[in-house]
């Protein structure tokens, strides 16, 4: 079934109306929109097709439709209209971040509170040194009984290890070859440096031990992410209690309990290598606790090798255009605030007395 422009228009209207009302959307509500030229029957047919294609869901028989995770994803990628901040909004954000924040830990806490206030959603703020930890050396030590110990020596002088089972056709000689290949190709890389192309090349070079490479790669990436020092703060968790989706106390409590370091520590790593704003809709989230929510994140530069990240967590029904616009403006303003002024260059004929 083809996703025509008319279907996309109907889907866009459903998402926009559901964001505003938090109520399932029927064909009559779409027909009433000033720029909608199709009949109610035509819109009903298109909504039925979009439901069959997985972009809409019908929570109850004879009720209207609501967007699915796939529908939100298409909306964010193709259909969302740009949101233009008002002068009052830009003034409010600028005045909120004018105070100079010297200490990184205090800055992270303050930024999280400011973002939560600006978006009326739970907010996350983090500061980290991307790529500051890498693997210096791999060691593969045969442990007998069909297993070996994978040892990773990190750039921060820490050592981590894991016991891994060996395939039947891999012996000590193959482990030595694999160790040499790993140290030649996979050291001194950030987590995002372990690409599919590199994985394929190392597997082909490792011979019989090539099947171990994905296991080793997973452990290496997990280790690097967990050892990347990230200062994380969360603010505004209680704001979810005012949203229709979380009137169920049990559901709200489960989400609020997920706002901890263990759940959120991977979010800064998700931004590594990403440009602009990143949106994770429902099942796309890395943490199981966030599968029924959406997370919107963006980065900003702090200087001195530090990178900041701000984001919000909310229902999949959130106003993505407004949230991304506000986060982007926050990020741009914070980057400018932390930018160091360039030192004036002395003319060549003037001697620098302090040199």
């Amino acid at each position: 079934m083809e996703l025509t422009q008319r279907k996309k228009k109907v889907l866009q209207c459903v998402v926009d109306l559901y964001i505003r009302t938090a109520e399932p959307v029927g064909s009559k509500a779409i027909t009433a929109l000033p720029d909608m030229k199709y009949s109610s029957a035509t819109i009903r047919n298109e909504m039925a097709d979009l439901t069959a294609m997985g972009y809409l869901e019908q929570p109850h028989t004879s009720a209207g439709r609501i967007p699915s995770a796939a529908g939100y994803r298409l909306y964010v990628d193709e259909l969302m209209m740009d949101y233009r901040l008002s002068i009052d909004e830009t003034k409010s954000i600028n005045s909120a971040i004018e105070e100079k924040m010297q200490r990184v830990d205090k800055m992270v806490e303050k930024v999280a509170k400011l973002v939560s206030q600006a978006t009326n959603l739970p907010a996350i703020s983090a500061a980290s040194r991307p790529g500051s930890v890498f693997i210096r050396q791999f060691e593969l030590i045969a442990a007998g009984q069909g297993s070996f110990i994978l040892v990773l020596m990190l750039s921060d002088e820490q050592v981590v290890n894991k016991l891994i089972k060996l395939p039947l056709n891999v012996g000590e000689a193959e482990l030595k070859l694999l160790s040499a290949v790993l140290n030649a190709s996979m050291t001194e890389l950030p987590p995002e440096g372990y690409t599919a192309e590199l994985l394929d090349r190392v597997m082909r070079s490792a011979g019989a031990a090539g099947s171990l490479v994905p296991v080793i790669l997973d452990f290496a990436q997990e280790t690097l992410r967990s050892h990347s020092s990230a200062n994380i703060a969360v603010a505004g968790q209680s704001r979810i209690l005012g949203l229709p989706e979380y009137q169920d106390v049990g559901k709200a409590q489960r989400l609020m309990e997920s706002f901890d370091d263990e759940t959120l520590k991977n979010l800064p790593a998700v931004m590594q290598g990403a440009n602009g704003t990143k949106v994770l809709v429902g099942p796309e989230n890395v943490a199981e606790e966030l599968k029924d929510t959406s997370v919107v994140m963006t980065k900003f530069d702090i200087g001195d090798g530090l990178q900041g990240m701000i984001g919000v967590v909310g229902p999949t029904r959130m106003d993505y255009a407004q949230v991304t616009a506000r986060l982007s403006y926050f990020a741009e303003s914070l980057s400018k605030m932390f930018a160091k002024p360039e030192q004036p260059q002395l003319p060549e004929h003037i001697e620098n007395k302090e040199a």
Side-chain angles (χ1 to χ4, degrees):
M1 194 179 300
E2 183 183 359
L3 188 61
T4 62
Q5 289 302 315
R6 186 164 69 186
K7 285 183 173 60
K8 289 182 179 180
K9 178 65 175 177
V10 172
L11 175 61
Q12 181 183 13
C13 292
V14 172
V15 177
D16 286 338
L17 286 170
Y18 187 61
I19 286 173
R20 291 202 297 267
T21 67
E23 296 289 340
V25 179
S27 59
K28 290 183 179 179
I30 298 177
T31 308
L33 294 174
D35 60 341
M36 184 55 64
K37 302 176 182 179
Y38 308 116
S39 67
S40 182
T42 299
I43 293 173
R44 279 198 302 272
N45 291 335
E46 296 291 18
M47 292 175 73
D49 288 346
L50 288 166
T51 303
M53 297 169 73
Y55 293 109
L56 295 179
E57 296 174 352
Q58 190 170 23
H60 307 289
T61 305
S62 75
R65 263 61 167 198
I66 64 174
S68 66
Y72 282 122
R73 170 48 58 196
L74 181 65
Y75 177 82
V76 170
D77 289 344
E78 299 183 27
L79 309 178
M80 182 173 69
M81 301 293 290
D82 289 338
Y83 180 86
R84 187 178 295 276
L85 295 179
S86 68
I87 294 176
D88 287 341
E89 285 178 306
T90 59
K91 285 182 177 178
S92 175
I93 291 174
N94 283 332
S95 63
I97 62 177
E98 275 180 0
E99 178 185 353
K100 192 171 183 179
M101 295 172 282
Q102 298 286 355
R103 290 174 56 84
V104 170
D105 55 346
K106 295 297 182 184
M107 177 275 293
V108 169
E109 293 177 9
K110 289 183 179 179
V111 168
K113 291 178 181 177
L114 295 175
V115 172
S116 179
Q117 291 168 3
T119 60
N120 202 31
L121 290 169
I124 308 155
S125 177
S128 61
R129 296 184 183 276
S132 59
V133 179
F134 55 83
I135 298 172
R136 288 193 184 278
Q137 188 173 344
F138 291 85
E139 289 289 343
L140 279 61
I141 304 170
Q145 297 180 344
S147 61
F148 74 99
I149 300 172
L150 169 62
V151 182
L152 306 180
M153 285 167 269
L154 307 180
S155 57
D156 61 358
E157 308 303 324
Q158 295 191 62
V159 177
V160 295
N161 61 77
K162 180 178 183 178
L163 182 66
I164 300 175
K165 290 186 177 180
L166 281 169
L168 294 176
N169 61 336
V170 175
E172 193 166 348
E174 287 78 16
L175 283 181
K176 288 183 179 179
L177 171 62
L178 176 57
S179 179
V181 172
L182 293 173
N183 284 305
S185 306
M186 294 177 61
T187 55
E188 301 188 8
L189 293 175
E192 65 272 15
Y194 296 108
T195 62
E197 293 77 13
L198 176 61
L199 174 65
D200 182 64
R201 187 167 69 248
V202 173
M203 288 180 68
R204 284 188 276 108
S205 302
S211 60
L212 294 170
V213 175
V215 178
I216 293 173
L217 175 61
D218 285 345
F219 182 65
Q221 289 179 306
E222 179 185 344
T223 298
L224 291 180
R225 290 193 180 106
S226 64
H227 282 73
S228 294
S229 55
N231 191 324
I232 300 175
V234 185
Q237 297 95 314
S238 62
R239 294 181 187 273
I240 64 170
L241 299 176
L243 300 172
E245 289 85 349
Y246 302 103
Q247 295 304 302
D248 182 320
V249 176
K251 184 177 181 181
Q253 183 178 359
R254 287 192 296 273
L255 179 57
M256 292 182 72
E257 288 175 349
S258 72
F259 290 113
D260 55 31
D261 288 345
E262 189 63 29
T263 301
L264 301 176
K265 69 180 180 181
N266 287 324
L267 290 180
V270 172
M271 289 300 297
Q272 297 294 333
N275 293 317
T277 301
K278 191 174 184 67
V279 180
L280 300 176
V281 179
E284 298 172 358
N285 279 291
V286 292
E288 186 65 31
E289 296 87 347
L290 302 177
K291 296 296 185 183
D292 292 329
T293 68
S294 285
V295 178
V296 183
M297 299 174 286
T298 193
K299 298 187 294 188
F300 63 93
D301 292 322
I302 299 176
D304 296 325
L306 284 170
Q307 186 159 72
M309 186 276 288
I310 52 176
V312 297
V313 178
T316 53
R317 186 186 54 85
M318 77 168 69
D319 190 333
Y320 295 96
Q322 185 184 84
V323 168
T324 55
R326 290 181 176 177
L327 285 183
S328 296
Y329 191 82
F330 253 108
E332 291 171 9
S333 300
L334 287 165
S335 293
K336 290 177 183 177
M337 187 187 74
F338 284 109
K340 291 182 177 179
E342 293 185 5
Q343 297 296 323
Q345 298 294 318
L346 293 174
E348 292 182 1
H349 65 279
I350 297 179
E351 181 182 1
N352 186 347
K353 299 296 184 181
E354 295 182 358

